[in-house]
Amino acid sequence: NILFFHACGNHELMNFEQVEIQDKLFQVSTNSCRHVFQKNKKCYFEAFRTRGWRFLQLDAYANSILHPKHLSGYKEAAKILRTENPNDVVDTPPGTVNFFNGLSGSQCRFVPFNGGLGQAQLDWLVASLHEARAQNDKVVLFSHLPLHPNSASWRNVPFDAPHILDILNEYSDVVVAVFAGHSHSGGYYFDPYSKISHITVQATLTHRTAFGICDLYHDRIQLRGFGALPSRTLFVHAADQYYEEEEDVYNNEPHLRDDA
């Protein structure tokens, strides 16, 4: 029974409401292949646990003007964009205004194709990381939007990225890695302060093939990259932590590690 966990992104919300996505994925699920987009009607949730590891799925578009206007997520995002972006990016039709006119640096995150986690999800994230710490579990986060600007740019992170990074710094003994997308060129950043690795996977729209398989060990994640995604060794919270980038293994057959 193979599980597929789907991270909600802007391209999905440009075409479907979240409830439609959930319904369509349910329709294509089978006994041997199940697609998971929501749990308890939320697009952020704990995906699964295994051998001291937890995998948390974030909804980087909980607050977004890509939602229907009657939803609270739309209203909160519209309020943020009207406050932080000097351009009329909420009510003007797409393609008629330069989102970034007058923006610079960290302010560049306040554009319509990004979104935010919102306070309820941030509270859930803190509670989840606190519980993982209490049980000595390690955590990997998944998000459509990169969480650190150095793994993409300030144009590609959530509205509440600074708050999120404060949380990650507070729980740097728990979080090992963040996997994201959104920035089509991909990216990587090892945060020397938190010792967290931020991996942005390249878009298959522009790179044809880009995916990875993670082998989990007690002291590291061995990321085997395929296509445009480099292979890396992501160490667990070592003081002298670093990453190793390996050759592309697109033509190699996937294999299991005996001690994984």
Side-chain angles (χ1 to χ4, degrees):
N1 186 14
I2 302 173
L3 293 176
F4 291 86
F5 296 95
H6 296 268
C8 183
N10 54 308
H11 291 285
E12 289 76 36
L13 294 178
M14 288 175 181
N15 293 282
F16 305 100
E17 294 183 28
Q18 285 185 334
V19 65
E20 293 180 273
I21 299 171
Q22 175 66 24
D23 290 343
K24 291 179 183 296
L25 290 174
F26 179 78
Q27 292 171 12
V28 299
S29 294
T30 66
N31 290 334
S32 60
C33 178
R34 187 157 61 91
H35 295 268
V36 181
F37 181 70
Q38 292 180 333
K39 288 186 177 182
N40 299 320
K41 297 184 178 181
K42 292 183 173 62
C43 292
Y44 60 90
F45 49 82
E46 180 180 299
F48 63 96
R49 304 181 191 184
T50 180
R51 299 181 182 182
W53 290 84
R54 299 187 186 202
F55 296 83
L56 303 184
Q57 177 93 335
L58 301 181
D59 179 10
Y61 289 85
N63 290 337
S64 168
I65 63 167
L66 299 178
H67 290 302
K69 292 184 178 181
H70 68 277
L71 295 180
S72 60
Y74 173 91
K75 295 176 182 178
E76 182 62 25
K79 178 181 177 181
I80 292 170
L81 290 175
R82 288 190 176 109
T83 300
E84 302 292 345
N85 192 312
N87 308 292
D88 184 7
V89 298
V90 175
D91 301 309
T92 303
T96 61
V97 62
N98 180 355
F99 296 158
F100 297 100
N101 188 35
L103 298 179
S104 62
S106 62
Q107 290 298 108
C108 289
R109 68 189 190 273
F110 296 111
V111 291
F113 56 73
N114 293 333
L117 274 65
Q119 192 58 51
Q121 187 175 178
L122 292 173
D123 292 343
W124 168 84
L125 177 59
V126 169
S128 298
L129 296 178
H130 185 78
E131 180 184 292
R133 173 187 280 167
Q135 298 186 19
N136 293 318
D137 285 346
K138 297 175 284 289
V139 171
V140 177
L141 300 177
F142 293 91
S143 167
H144 179 79
L145 291 178
L147 303 185
H148 201 296
N150 288 356
S151 67
S153 75
W154 277 112
R155 293 186 174 209
N156 300 114
V157 298
F159 301 152
D160 35 19
H163 193 172
I164 297 168
L165 293 177
D166 285 343
I167 293 172
L168 297 189
N169 289 337
E170 175 66 24
Y171 289 91
S172 60
D173 58 318
V174 176
V175 180
V176 177
V178 177
F179 287 87
H182 195 57
S183 178
H184 291 188
S185 58
Y188 176 85
Y189 181 66
F190 170 69
D191 187 340
Y193 179 80
S194 67
K195 312 299 184 186
I196 295 173
S197 293
H198 295 259
I199 303 93
T200 303
V201 181
Q202 292 81 357
T204 55
L205 177 69
T206 53
H207 289 75
R208 190 175 74 86
T209 301
F211 69 95
I213 297 175
C214 291
D215 296 316
L216 304 178
Y217 301 82
H218 73 280
D219 63 342
R220 69 193 186 281
I221 299 172
Q222 201 71 39
L223 170 60
R224 291 183 280 126
F226 294 80
L229 182 65
S231 296
R232 305 181 190 276
T233 301
L234 312 174
F235 291 96
V236 175
H237 311 303
D240 58 347
Q241 182 177 6
Y242 63 97
Y243 79 90
E244 296 173 350
E245 185 171 315
E246 302 172 0
E247 64 179 351
D248 175 72
V249 293
Y250 174 60
N251 293 316
N252 293 347
E253 289 295 323
H255 61 282
L256 297 177
R257 306 296 178 88
D258 292 337
D259 60 337

